[in-house]
Amino acid sequence: MLFTQPIFFVFFAIVLTVVWTSRQNHHRKAALLAASYVFYAAWDWRFLSLIVASTLVDYMAVNGMKQCRLETSRRRWLQLSLVFNLGMLGFFKYFNFFVGHRVLEIVLPVGISFFTFQTMSYTIDVYRRRLEPAENWLDFALFVGFFPQLVAGPIVRAAHFLPQLERSPSFSSIQTRRFLTLFLVGFVKKTCIADNVAPYVDQVFADPGIFTAASVWIAVTFYAVQIYCDFSGYTDMAIACAGLLGYDLGRNFRFPYLASDLTEFWRRWHISLSAWLRDYLYIPLGGSRGSRLWTYRNLLLTMLLGGLWHGAAWTFVAWGGLHGAGLVLHKEWTRRSAHLHRIRGTLAFKLLGTAMTFYFVCCAWIFFRAQSFGDAAVLLKAFVWLDTGGTVALDMHLFAALLTLGLLHWISSQARLERFLDRLSGGSFAAGYGMATALALAFVPMRSAPFIYFQF
Amino acid sequence: MKSWRQIRHATLFLAAFTSTVAFVSHLSGYPEIGPLKEKLRYFERFKDNYEIVFIGSSRVYRGVIPTVFDDQMSSHGLSVKSFNFAMAGMKAHEANALVRRVLAMKPARLAWIIVEAGDWDPVIHKENRFKGRGIFWHDAPETWSALGSTLLLDDSLATRADLLTTHGLHFAARWLAVGRGPDAARSLFVQDKEPATDPLIAEWQGFKPYTESSYKYNPLRKRFLQNLDKYREAVTRLQPTEASRTAEATPRRSYSRPYNRAAVRGQIAMVRQAGVLPVHLITPTPRATPELDRLAREGHFQAHLAFNRPRAYPKLFEVERRFDHEHLTHEGALLFTRLLATRFATEVVTNDSDAVD
């Protein structure tokens, strides 16, 4: 069940009705948990047991920790949780990768990388005494299985979500207009943009050697557009659904392609994963507390593992490695160019930084999307050196589409649009929303592709 | 007070939504579905010149040559002009929606619609769902008919529920103009007032001959040539049943089902109502069609021309005249068209004085 499918609208309408007609918070939460399990079972009912098992094990581990006085015993409970979650993730996602060839036909349960990271953060935080354990099993199960963010994030922290479950939200406090707009924006990003550029990307990445350098440029930049609109579109819809149900999931994207350096990019892209990797990997590895080289090592390691998190393939590791190297280079450049702080603050410098960052990010996306290192090399040669023996060309008008999309990205980053929407009367908003919904449907391609991040 | 405001907002939303959908639909016109858009555009310009149209699958598309048909008809003293509307993969519901569309154009001289008789199976396979083509035949009458057929299937409840939903969603997608934005934008911003017509349509009147490369590289032809024994077996199996076609072996979802009979009756009534005579055609396929034969015997067809008879038409089944198992070569198409015209002139036209008038 995808957020863009008609069946989801029926499902969500039922959930909204049940949730907002329930008088007691406990009943609301029970209804939401049941709905979340139905939502997940619609993908593959067999894997529902994994979520239930993960929930039970972590709830048990945390309760075990609560009752222990000795640190060693508490650590054992943490180890149990980590071994279970990482074991599950390792088996379903990385077994064949680490064995080196396809030994077992393993189906990857959708969203496993997201909900395992979410439950691990909970047990680690409780172990570190930074978080009070959940009040009851229902709250914890809902934290793990809450359907808007279950299959592709954002990776919500227990400290952010559990307190919300204790309160009983009222419908009048919901910013309906904001969340309806956000849902439509997400829908447009996914179906009208990502799904419409996907055929061009697929075409070139399937056989890159036969295309001209200009076509490769279009395909690679289109892929940057596709993955952003696909993933942030999903996140927008997830946040909007949760918001309409009375819960806040936090922000996952902040116009990442406007970042003027790579460090800023990672503060704007998949924010919940970056923060998770920072708090549970980079800092425990030592963060920036040691020497400069040690910091760089930690950064590189974190990004390599971040790459591996996305998928069991060396191309993902290379993508992570490239970003790690880029972050190291940026840190080193920042240190050495401290005396240039005046120039660094100018608009021209920032624009140059944005262009360079986007170019670097696109180069790295090549590894993320390519089927093999061979294909990646061909694409990179065309993208960087404009060198290709291919003759097949995509329509060059697509460059105009790219510029339009870039402009849209910038316009939507300006707060003016939100202010304009806020100022509209209820009637104008309703009419405008009706018109925008009809136009969005008109640009939905006949066949929508699944969300890219579902495979992670 | 608050509820009035909510009703007002909901009304405004619906009004804006429906008027935008209507605007997009109005601008977008007929979708690009194979050669059909071109054919419709061409036919619309010259619709009053035609007395006969052919509608059906690739067996008709590649098998009936209108110019040859017209020549043969004139040799029988009948001056007609015909057009081939067929398209690869066209099934009964889609064909019926096209029949409706052609009739809606009100071609002044149209007297006969020759439509390929086929199975009114309402199943849409998963790989064919939500494609422009499937969406577009879901007009209200056709969707209603497909829903009725689905209810009468003897498949499991889950399968029928899935099919009902699928037909409903196709219908909704059509009426909400889903995916029609690019066509609407093109008609708004691209000056395309009098598009050039595909010269092949004017030359062949909707028929499409196989190209040289089709003869060399078409995978179906390759498979056919590699498995000629199977083809010959199929033809041989067909011969004994030819003289006395029985309706004993009735496959699933056949014409013998009530919904199939109802669909054929509905089609005939619709065409008759427009003052046109429907003729059902079975092309020279090496397959038995016991249900269609039974339906013909029971008198459900207004007029019926069957060519899946190797004894009666041996030349149509000779390997040299077959492009593949189902289709004819150009030589085969020439022969089939002449035979069709002769039978049509002698069996249909002479019995239909109203239409001739």
Side-chain angles (χ1 to χ4, degrees):
Chain A
M1 199 188 317
L2 300 173
F3 285 170
T4 50
Q5 284 178 330
I7 183 79
F8 176 77
F9 295 100
V10 177
F11 167 81
F12 193 61
I14 295 169
V15 174
L16 270 181
T17 311
V18 172
V19 163
W20 290 114
T21 49
S22 299
R23 293 199 174 169
Q24 288 185 22
N25 196 26
H26 189 75
H27 293 159
R28 281 168 50 91
K29 290 189 284 191
L32 274 175
L33 181 64
S36 298
Y37 285 169
V38 167
F39 179 82
Y40 195 78
W43 292 100
D44 194 330
W45 61 269
R46 293 167 302 172
F47 294 135
L48 191 58
S49 56
L50 290 182
I51 294 191
V52 176
S54 179
T55 308
L56 285 172
V57 168
D58 287 302
Y59 188 70
M60 197 173 69
V62 165
N63 270 339
M65 270 184 225
K66 209 159 72 173
Q67 286 157 14
C68 291
R69 285 184 192 164
L70 290 172
E71 264 319 289
T72 47
S73 310
R74 291 184 82 242
R75 193 174 297 128
R76 282 214 185 97
W77 282 113
L78 175 69
Q79 282 165 349
L80 170 79
S81 160
L82 294 182
V83 166
F84 179 79
N85 284 304
L86 290 174
M88 196 164 68
L89 192 61
F91 176 74
F92 283 104
K93 197 163 175 177
Y94 303 106
F95 182 80
N96 287 325
F97 177 69
F98 284 119
V99 169
H101 56 279
R102 211 171 181 81
V103 180
L104 295 172
E105 281 297 323
I106 301 171
V107 180
L108 182 69
V110 69
I112 190 166
S113 309
F114 291 91
F115 69 77
T116 47
F117 267 40
Q118 199 158 300
T119 51
M120 280 196 298
S121 77
Y122 169 73
T123 42
I124 296 169
D125 283 353
V126 172
Y127 173 75
R128 288 173 175 171
R129 299 183 205 282
R130 286 180 189 165
L131 179 72
E132 282 300 309
E135 289 281 304
N136 52 58
W137 188 83
L138 180 62
D139 281 14
F140 179 64
L142 189 54
F143 158 68
V144 179
F146 187 47
F147 75 86
Q149 45 78 221
L150 177 60
V151 289
I155 303 167
V156 183
R157 301 289 183 84
H160 180 76
F161 194 74
L162 286 175
Q164 295 183 51
L165 295 178
E166 287 164 23
R167 295 190 294 269
S168 184
S170 68
F171 188 70
S172 58
S173 65
I174 303 297
Q175 293 173 283
T176 321
R177 193 184 287 196
R178 184 189 149 214
F179 292 125
L180 285 176
T181 308
L182 191 63
F183 191 90
L184 190 60
V185 167
F187 184 87
V188 168
K189 275 184 187 171
K190 163 64 184 159
T191 57
C192 304
I193 301 177
D195 288 349
N196 276 314
V197 301
Y200 300 105
V201 176
D202 294 346
Q203 208 181 330
V204 174
F205 275 79
D207 196 357
I210 63 166
F211 287 92
T212 60
S215 303
V216 170
W217 259 78
I218 291 172
V220 173
T221 40
F222 263 14
Y223 184 62
V225 171
Q226 186 198 353
I227 195 162
Y228 169 67
C229 288
D230 190 286
F231 191 22
S232 75
Y234 173 86
T235 309
D236 287 345
M237 287 188 271
I239 293 169
C241 289
L244 289 169
L245 292 166
Y247 301 100
D248 175 51
L249 296 182
R251 225 171 158 179
N252 214 19
F253 289 91
R254 272 192 316 115
F255 307 99
Y257 295 144
L258 298 180
S260 57
D261 60 63
L262 205 55
T263 308
E264 193 191 347
F265 174 81
W266 279 102
R267 287 192 195 119
R268 289 166 174 260
W269 177 272
H270 203 172
I271 298 166
S272 62
L273 177 70
S274 311
W276 199 100
L277 292 172
R278 180 196 64 210
D279 294 344
Y280 301 104
L281 197 60
Y282 177 67
I283 292 174
L285 281 170
S288 55
R289 291 188 297 266
S291 67
R292 200 152 30 92
L293 277 179
W294 197 251
T295 304
Y296 294 165
R297 183 208 76 128
N298 295 340
L299 206 50
L300 210 54
L301 218 54
T302 305
M303 293 313 291
L304 281 170
L305 287 169
L308 192 61
W309 176 87
H310 283 85
W314 287 110
T315 45
F316 288 118
V317 180
W319 171 80
L322 261 179
H323 270 280
L327 286 169
V328 168
L329 278 176
H330 177 250
K331 272 208 181 310
E332 193 56 22
W333 154 256
T334 311
R335 194 179 67 81
R336 288 179 188 228
S337 63
H339 60 285
L340 296 174
H341 65 276
R342 266 196 200 163
I343 304 173
R344 276 179 16 192
T346 59
L347 179 67
F349 194 89
K350 281 196 172 158
L351 284 175
L352 182 69
T354 304
M356 283 174 67
T357 307
F358 181 68
Y359 184 69
F360 178 84
V361 168
C362 284
C363 289
W365 283 138
I366 289 176
F367 288 90
F368 198 87
R369 174 64 176 77
Q371 315 273 355
S372 65
F373 279 109
D375 280 0
V378 173
L379 287 158
L380 207 60
K381 206 169 135 195
F383 194 67
V384 177
W385 302 111
L386 306 178
D387 181 13
T388 160
T391 51
V392 181
L394 294 178
D395 186 350
M396 289 302 121
H397 288 101
L398 293 170
F399 272 117
L402 265 174
L403 288 177
T404 313
L405 290 170
L407 196 67
L408 267 176
H409 192 54
W410 178 78
I411 290 171
S412 43
S413 72
Q414 307 300 302
R416 287 177 210 134
L417 196 66
E418 277 178 25
R419 280 206 296 273
F420 168 74
L421 286 173
D422 286 342
R423 278 204 301 270
L424 282 179
S425 68
S428 307
F429 177 80
Y433 198 80
M435 201 185 285
T437 307
L439 283 176
L441 286 176
F443 286 91
V444 170
M446 287 301 174
R447 280 200 151 184
S448 201
F451 288 93
I452 294 174
Y453 262 69
F454 280 16
Q455 64 189 294
F456 306 142
Chain B
M1 189 68 184
K2 196 179 172 187
S3 59
W4 271 115
R5 206 168 56 221
Q6 282 168 345
I7 291 169
R8 194 168 65 93
H9 290 171
T11 312
L12 278 168
F13 170 84
L14 284 175
F17 181 80
T18 45
S19 50
T20 310
V21 165
F23 184 61
V24 171
S25 300
H26 171 72
L27 286 178
S28 52
Y30 206 82
E32 297 282 353
I33 299 169
L36 208 53
K37 186 173 183 169
E38 275 286 284
K39 284 189 178 185
L40 279 163
R41 203 149 56 183
Y42 181 85
F43 186 80
E44 199 150 29
R45 280 173 68 191
F46 304 105
K47 62 184 180 183
D48 292 338
N49 298 344
Y50 295 99
E51 282 88 9
I52 300 172
V53 295
F54 300 96
I55 291 177
S57 71
S58 56
R59 287 182 285 268
V60 176
Y61 185 32
R62 305 286 198 170
V64 180
I65 311 170
T67 46
V68 175
F69 183 89
D70 300 348
D71 287 348
Q72 189 70 15
M73 288 290 281
S74 67
S75 72
H76 290 277
L78 295 160
S79 172
V80 294
K81 193 162 169 55
S82 61
F83 188 79
N84 188 335
F85 253 121
M87 194 171 73
M90 189 177 279
K91 289 170 78 177
H93 280 295
E94 187 180 8
N96 200 39
L98 183 58
V99 168
R100 193 175 296 109
R101 194 162 181 99
V102 169
L103 291 175
M105 289 186 205
K106 296 192 177 11
R109 292 167 62 185
L110 188 70
W112 296 279
I113 286 186
I114 303 180
V115 59
E116 188 181 16
D119 202 335
W120 293 76
D121 187 344
V123 173
I124 308 177
H125 295 291
K126 286 225 158 73
E127 64 274 15
N128 293 332
R129 288 180 183 183
F130 300 106
K131 288 187 174 168
R133 185 171 172 179
I135 286 174
F136 212 75
W137 69 252
H138 278 84
D139 56 22
E142 218 48 55
T143 308
W144 187 247
S145 163
L147 290 175
S149 307
T150 307
L151 285 174
L152 292 169
L153 282 175
D154 58 1
D155 285 293
S156 70
L157 192 64
T159 307
R160 278 181 288 162
D162 174 56
L163 259 181
L164 288 174
T165 315
T166 305
H167 284 298
L169 289 175
H170 278 73
F171 176 74
R174 180 189 155 115
W175 290 104
L176 296 178
V178 174
R180 304 306 316 278
D183 287 336
R186 215 170 290 132
S187 75
L188 259 186
F189 301 115
V190 180
Q191 293 297 314
D192 190 22
K193 297 290 178 209
E194 195 61 57
T197 306
D198 182 353
L200 277 179
I201 291 183
E203 187 185 342
W204 292 101
Q205 296 295 303
F207 164 79
K208 190 174 184 186
Y210 285 113
T211 58
E212 284 293 316
S213 65
S214 304
Y215 282 96
K216 282 182 191 165
Y217 305 115
N218 186 296
L220 288 175
R221 179 159 177 80
K222 277 186 181 172
R223 209 176 307 149
F224 168 70
L225 294 174
Q226 284 162 2
N227 299 292
L228 283 176
D229 290 349
K230 280 188 183 170
Y231 168 72
R232 288 193 179 108
E233 264 174 43
V235 174
T236 313
R237 266 204 311 275
L238 195 57
Q239 286 173 345
T241 60
E242 194 175 320
S244 55
R245 292 266 168 93
T246 61
E248 282 154 16
T250 304
R252 295 170 79 235
R253 289 179 204 127
S254 67
Y255 261 117
S256 62
R257 297 284 187 78
Y259 68 74
N260 272 328
R261 272 201 293 270
V264 170
R265 274 203 299 265
Q267 186 175 56
I268 290 169
M270 173 179 74
V271 179
R272 293 290 292 173
Q273 203 176 5
V276 179
L277 183 80
V279 180
H280 284 88
L281 170 70
I282 301 173
T283 54
T285 167
R287 278 183 288 113
T289 48
E291 319 84 57
L292 297 180
D293 298 340
R294 185 165 74 182
L295 215 51
R297 269 202 315 277
E298 288 171 3
H300 291 288
F301 292 130
Q302 185 81 28
H304 166 242
L305 300 169
F307 286 86
N308 56 340
R309 294 169 183 184
R311 272 193 194 166
Y313 309 105
K315 287 189 173 175
L316 288 177
F317 292 86
E318 284 172 2
V319 169
E320 300 75 50
R321 289 191 179 82
R322 308 296 300 191
F323 179 83
D324 60 28
H325 201 270
E326 290 289 330
H327 305 96
L328 296 162
T329 58
H330 194 67
E331 199 194 332
L334 283 169
L335 178 61
F336 170 52
T337 308
R338 285 189 193 118
L339 288 167
L340 172 65
T342 302
R343 277 192 69 187
F344 181 76
T346 53
E347 292 176 32
V348 181
V349 180
T350 48
N351 292 332
D352 183 36
S353 53
D354 289 353
V356 178
D357 294 341

